[in-house]
């Protein structure tokens, strides 16, 4: 190769361009979620894709305790609240990863098809409903977060267990 002055230079290494696959939104902001906010302990059955949540109320996201920025206000009863969202993924085998966004106050555990894929501000180990009055630490500096997680074919049900701090 020659520059504008006629000086020759060695060939550079080849330029390799990698493109990202097209992304697809599976659950939109503001979408409707099933939720249970009655202070009960739902054990583990609620995480399963076949769980019957027909008796649970539903509401549009953002769901919360009435701070003024929610589309749906939920009861602040108890310390554990359950949220369920089903979605369809066309050609799920084409997905190699899933990126999730979570807005939570105190702590949350996220399940995909009954399998835990992410926990935020929660201790390790089996997530159980804490007893009333057991404090959950509030994180310094904010509550929103995001995570990329492996996604295996045909996964299509997200469930979230949210825990709030007792003061």
């Amino acid at each position: 190769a020659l520059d504008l002055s006629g000086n020759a230079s060695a060939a550079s290494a080849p330029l390799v361009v990698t493109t990202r696959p097209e992304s697809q939104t599976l659950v939109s902001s503001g979408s409707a979620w099933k939720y249970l906010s009655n202070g009960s302990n739902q054990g583990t059955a609620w995480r399963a894709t076949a769980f019957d949540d027909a008796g649970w109320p539903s509401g549009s996201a953002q769901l919360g305790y009435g701070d003024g920025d929610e589309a749906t206000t939920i009861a602040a009863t108890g310390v554990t609240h359950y949220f369920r969202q089903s979605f369809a993924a066309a050609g799920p085998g084409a997905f190699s990863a899933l990126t999730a966004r979570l807005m939570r106050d105190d702590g949350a555990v996220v399940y995909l098809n009954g399998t835990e894929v992410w926990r935020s501000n929660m201790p390790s180990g089996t997530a159980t409903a804490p007893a009333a009055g057991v404090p959950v630490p509030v994180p310094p500096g904010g509550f929103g977060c995001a995570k990329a997680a492996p996604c295996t074919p045909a996964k299509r049900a997200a469930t979230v267990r949210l825990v709030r701090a007792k003061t």
Side-chain angles (χ1 to χ4, degrees):
L2 297 177
D3 65 17
L4 295 175
S5 301
N7 298 318
S9 63
S12 66
L15 175 64
V16 177
V17 177
T18 304
T19 60
R20 291 178 17 163
E22 182 180 335
S23 65
Q24 179 182 17
T25 300
L26 300 173
V27 179
S28 299
S29 296
S31 63
W33 285 75
K34 299 291 268 181
Y35 66 92
L36 189 62
S37 184
N38 63 4
S40 65
N41 180 350
Q42 292 296 299
T44 60
W46 71 279
R47 301 180 211 163
T49 56
F51 179 79
D52 182 7
D53 59 12
W56 289 21
S58 66
S60 298
Q62 171 180 338
L63 293 96
Y65 304 122
D67 298 333
D69 56 353
E70 300 87 356
T72 302
T73 301
I74 65 171
T77 305
V79 294
T80 301
H81 306 273
Y82 303 89
F83 301 89
R84 292 179 49 86
Q85 172 68 261
S86 294
F87 57 89
F95 291 94
S96 60
L98 175 69
T99 300
R101 292 184 304 141
L102 170 68
M103 181 180 290
R104 52 99 179 128
D105 277 355
D106 303 322
V109 181
V110 179
Y111 302 88
L112 188 60
N113 285 357
T115 301
E116 181 181 324
V117 294
W118 181 21
R119 62 178 54 218
S120 179
N121 200 44
M122 292 290 290
S124 61
T126 302
T128 58
V134 174
V136 176
V138 177
F143 301 121
C145 41
K147 168 126 178 135
C151 181
T152 57
K155 288 199 171 191
R156 61 192 190 310
T159 54
V160 179
R161 177 185 208 129
L162 176 72
V163 180
R164 71 181 180 96
K166 291 295 275 185
T167 54

